[in-house]
Amino acid sequence: MWMDHPGWVLFGTWVAALFTLGIATFLYKDNPVYKFCEAVFVGISAGYWFVSYFWQTLLPKLGYPFYAGVKTVFVGPAEWGWLVLLIPGTLGMMMLLRLVPKAGWIARWPLAFIVGYTAGLRLITFLQSNAMTQLQNSVQPVVRYNESGQFLGWESFNILLVTVGTFAGLFYFFFSQEHKGVFGRVARVGTWFLMITFGAAFGYTVMGRMSLLIGRLDFLLADWLHLIR
Amino acid sequence: MLASAAIAQTAPGDSSAIPALTIAQPPPPNPATNVKAEDAPNDGGGSIRVTWAASPDDGAGRKNVASYNILRAVSSPTGAGAFDTVGSATAGNTEFTDGHTEDGIPYIYIVEALSSVPSPGGTPVMVSVRSEPTGVAYSNGQWFHMRRLNALIMVIIVCGAILYFIQQASSGKELFIRKIAGLDAVDEAVGRATEMGRKIFYIPGTQDMDEVQTLAGITILGRVAKVAAEYEASLEVPVSRSLVMVTCREVVKEAYLNAGRPEAYNDSMVYYLTDDQFGYAAGIDGLVMRDKPSTLFFMGAFYAESLILAETGNSIGAIQIAGTAMPAQLPFFVAACDYTLIGEELFAASAYLSKEPKLLGSLKGQDLGKAIILLAILVGIVMTSFGAISMDTSDLDKLGNYNIGQWFEVQ
């Protein structure tokens, strides 16, 4: 392909490198170079996603099957499964009626549909993954023994710690009860557990971000400037 | 494979007259018996489960069963068609699920026991012996997944509790909700923006309308927009999804209407930037640096852009109130924002702010669900712990009836 031509690859590398540096100038302060890079980034990505949705979602999931279905009616043998596509198609058209001032209210119906089905669908998913699976994994004996019946102190302590953290954390997320007295103290312990968890997660994620930075520096120093191999 | 072909020509289950085995070789294994095929339960169709009793030589007898092949043919009034291999199972297994069937088509199956024997040339060859064919089996979808009955019971309990509390709230009973620190700061933050004559930015996350956190964020937006309208503060809502833009416009418009200032609303308050995660972050960073809003709200689902957004807001000294249920992003919001709604607080916020009976009842019902979960964990831990002590073992599998955690296993 023409895009694989070394000249285009070199051009692409230079554009990517200059835009990387342009965006990085934001570290100093907002400036015309950053504004330009930002505008190009936002504009191109918006256009890219529009094209992507059109070719990868709208046509393969609605346009092509609809056309193929209608064609069977005229060419035969007739199939009618495509009629179900009229539902999303109609909902999509209703959404576009926002552009017509007098019929704008119709756009609320597909929105209501989306909100309703999202809530219903996610109820089961959340219940299973966030409640039942967690519950199942939380039910562990807090005393552990090895095969020969020897008490495992460290393992037992770990399980006990997880159990206390789970209970205290759940207490924090009770909204029907004021956080006072014993309840409040347990909830307070819950916030400690949460903050320690957040601290650990912070460090872990920052390490991930460092690898992204290293990847970008690698691009600049190796692919662009050829200073390192 | 020569021996295999020779055996395949014999009657099912009969391996006595096999020409290829007349040379000095170990005899083939006995066939699998009691082979049955039936529709796989609790699925949406398209699969048949085949079960069999292991060959007497599988792990016992001559111990020469290496594996089983499962063969399938389509049955017709004139007899079965050609058998094709649809899968295999290692020795010791007695079950196979054929996940590539067409619903309503009659299938019959044969299980072929395989054994590796040395050939005269020295290279081992596989010999096989076939079982009796099964009866005809059809695959079908089921309306109910019976192994998810536990989820249904949980849904009924939680939804029942929610409906009960909604009814209580609707009938005028006062339902208590504890203070949520971040939300008490909403009025203060909007008031500050009004006093300073600066904008309020509301970021409803980077995900679409199929994300519950986005819905929660948009619900809170309604409250923020109403307060902003009452205080005559300037509100801007840059979004990254077209559907979110449409919904946010509806919500903000209604909030301004409820505040008695419909003329102050215009569509340009809610605008689309881009679907791209970092393009969106770059766009907001630029807006924040140029407009210097006094208040920033981050309410919804966020990913790696969370710290980029919150740190930029922090650098201009804005009051920042965030809320998300994304565990990996919460630490960044906690570190860079003034107030953070942690996880479920985001979902509770809309009830807390609006005091609507439906939302309050829903929150109370969820609390009851949490109480049930706590109780179940407590009972489960006590039972498994006593089970472990009494049996002197750390093997959960052996705890059997003590382990009520298995009641909540999700299939």
Side-chain angles (χ1 to χ4, degrees), chain A residues 26 30 34 38 45-46 53 95 98 108 111 118 122 135-136 142 145 163 172-176 179, chain B residues 176 178 209-210 241 243 246-247 250 274-275 282 289-290 342 345 364 367 370 381 385 394 405 408:
Chain A
F26 186 73
D30 191 31
Y34 176 77
E38 174 207 321
S45 61
Y53 284 137
M95 192 77 89
R98 273 190 68 86
R108 291 185 171 193
L111 281 178
T118 298
R122 294 299 167 114
L135 193 159
Q136 192 200 356
V142 288
Y145 298 91
T163 305
Y172 175 77
F173 288 107
F174 268 99
F175 299 101
S176 310
H179 285 180
Chain B
F176 173 78
R178 75 164 166 83
M209 291 300 292
D210 58 352
R241 306 282 170 162
L243 277 177
V246 173
T247 315
E250 291 290 339
T274 170
D275 273 61
M289 291 308 288
R290 271 155 241 151
I342 300 168
E345 284 182 326
K364 283 279 183 184
D367 270 5
K370 275 177 266 180
I381 286 173
S385 297
S394 59
F408 301 94

Side-chain angles (χ1 to χ4, degrees), chain A residues 23 26 29-31 34-35 38 41-42 45-46 49 53 95 98 104 107-108 111 114-115 117-119 122-124 126-129 131-136 138-149 152 163 166-167 170-179 194-195 197-199 201-202 205-206 209 212, chain B residues 148 150-151 154-155 159 176-180 209-212 215 241 243 246-247 249-250 272-276 278-279 282-283 285-286 289-290 304 312 328-332 334-335 342 344-345 348 363-364 367 370-371 373-374 376-378 380-381 384-385 388-389 392-394 396 399 403 405-406 408-410:
Chain A
I23 289 287
F26 186 73
K29 67 174 189 179
D30 191 31
N31 61 76
Y34 176 77
K35 281 180 190 168
E38 174 207 321
F41 191 7
V42 172
S45 61
W49 282 103
Y53 284 137
M95 192 77 89
R98 273 190 68 86
R108 291 185 171 193
L111 281 178
I114 291 166
V115 172
Y117 102 79
T118 298
R122 294 299 167 114
L123 170 70
I124 305 299
F126 270 72
L127 189 72
Q128 288 189 340
S129 59
M132 297 179 69
T133 306
Q134 303 274 7
L135 193 159
Q136 192 200 356
S138 301
V139 176
Q140 303 261 354
V142 288
V143 282
R144 290 294 180 119
Y145 298 91
N146 63 14
E147 297 281 319
S148 54
L152 300 170
T163 305
T166 305
F167 270 77
L170 272 171
F171 268 63
Y172 175 77
F173 288 107
F174 268 99
F175 299 101
S176 310
Q177 186 76 33
E178 190 75 76
H179 285 180
L194 285 172
M195 290 307 145
T197 309
F198 289 158
F202 191 99
T205 313
V206 165
R209 303 291 156 80
L212 290 178
Chain B
R148 288 190 183 167
N150 50 7
M154 284 289 281
V155 168
C159 290
F176 173 78
I177 299 288
R178 75 164 166 83
K179 283 179 88 173
I180 299 174
M209 291 300 292
D210 58 352
E211 170 60 62
V212 180
L215 300 183
R241 306 282 170 162
L243 277 177
V246 173
T247 315
R249 280 184 175 171
E250 291 290 339
Y272 170 83
L273 285 178
T274 170
D275 273 61
D276 188 82
F278 290 110
D285 278 358
M289 291 308 288
R290 271 155 241 151
T312 307
Q329 309 310 322
L330 272 167
F332 298 120
V334 169
I342 300 168
E344 208 187 338
E345 284 182 326
L363 200 57
K364 283 279 183 184
D367 270 5
K370 275 177 266 180
I373 287 171
L374 264 179
I377 293 175
L378 185 66
I381 286 173
T384 50
S385 297
I389 292 167
D392 276 352
T393 175
S394 59
L396 263 179
L399 293 177
N403 184 13
Q406 66 194 353
F408 301 94
E409 185 177 358
V410 179

Side-chain angles (χ1 to χ4, degrees), chain A residues 44-67:
Chain A
I44 287 182
S45 61
Y48 170 82
W49 282 103
F50 172 79
V51 172
S52 172
Y53 284 137
F54 184 79
W55 289 104
Q56 292 179 17
T57 305
L58 191 64
L59 285 184
K61 294 194 173 174
L62 183 67
Y64 295 146
F66 188 83
Y67 173 74

